[in-house]
Amino acid sequence: MERSKQALRALKAGTATYDQFLETICREITEQVSSTRASVWMFTEPLRDAIECACLYDQRDGSVQRGAVLREEDFPDYFAAVTTSLRVVAPDAITHPATRAFDDVYFAPLDIRSLLDFVVLIGDRPVAVLCCEHCAEQKQWTQADSDYLQAMSSVLTFGLKQQERAAA
């Protein structure tokens, strides 16, 4: 988590961009929880009926992607899960009730087998989702994995607040 905290300090000092900050978070998550991919998805405003990928890092090839959008109308079970329980723990993402709708359109093409998502709040308002995906084989997410994602959500919250101040 130290690199993400350093990236946050650099963001505050103006020596790093918001995109660099997010990429550092995603890279560090894949390393710490041993996931294949990690991403930050932002709830769209004002309705929060979709999430847009602000940064997705795939450790298999080092690629970074942005811009994909997932809409509540297409994945109602997932959105219900993340907005009510604020996390999704799916060692078998293909059959999990909250995530099985992703199978044909997202999981199968990318060989994603497991998913761990954690909602980031500012106050009581959901603003983002931290997502870990594991490919090729199922991963049994541990309490330590969930705790780490929760800790990273705090770092992300500070970065989001900094971004909001910079935009104002």
Side-chain angles (χ1 to χ4, degrees):
M1 187 173 317
E2 188 55 38
R3 280 181 288 163
S4 294
K5 288 179 181 177
Q6 289 172 351
L8 176 60
R9 286 190 290 275
L11 179 66
K12 287 181 178 181
T15 59
T17 67
Y18 183 66
D19 285 347
Q20 290 169 326
F21 167 71
L22 293 179
E23 188 175 327
T24 300
I25 285 178
C26 292
R27 286 177 184 269
E28 197 163 9
I29 288 171
T30 62
E31 293 168 9
Q32 294 300 313
V33 302
S34 299
S35 65
T36 310
R37 297 158 47 104
S39 52
V40 176
W41 297 76
M42 303 302 298
F43 280 93
T44 59
E45 295 292 342
L47 300 177
R48 292 192 210 92
D49 59 350
I51 52 176
E52 182 174 354
C53 182
C55 183
L56 183 150
Y57 172 72
D58 190 323
Q59 62 86 13
R60 294 174 295 184
D61 61 6
S63 65
V64 175
Q65 301 168 22
R66 293 177 173 82
V69 176
L70 302 175
R71 299 186 192 301
E72 183 176 16
E73 66 191 44
D74 298 325
F75 306 103
D77 293 335
Y78 173 79
F79 276 81
V82 296
T83 57
T84 56
S85 68
L86 304 179
R87 70 181 68 214
V88 173
V89 181
D92 182 355
I94 294 167
T95 63
H96 191 281
T99 60
R100 64 180 166 221
F102 291 113
D103 187 29
D104 292 336
V105 297
Y106 188 68
F107 294 156
L110 296 168
D111 198 22
I112 295 169
R113 304 294 175 88
S114 300
L115 184 88
L116 174 64
D117 285 3
F118 191 89
V119 173
V120 178
L121 302 172
I122 293 182
D124 61 351
R125 178 177 55 108
V127 294
V129 178
L130 281 177
C131 178
C132 294
E133 300 165 344
H134 197 70
C135 299
E137 61 188 20
Q138 288 184 7
K139 178 173 175 55
Q140 296 302 314
W141 304 107
T142 65
Q143 185 61 48
D145 295 334
S146 290
D147 292 346
Y148 185 80
L149 224 53
Q150 184 172 7
M152 287 300 281
S153 76
S154 296
V155 176
L156 179 59
T157 298
F158 287 119
L160 291 169
K161 288 179 178 179
Q162 176 64 32
Q163 183 69 4
E164 285 178 359
R165 282 191 293 274

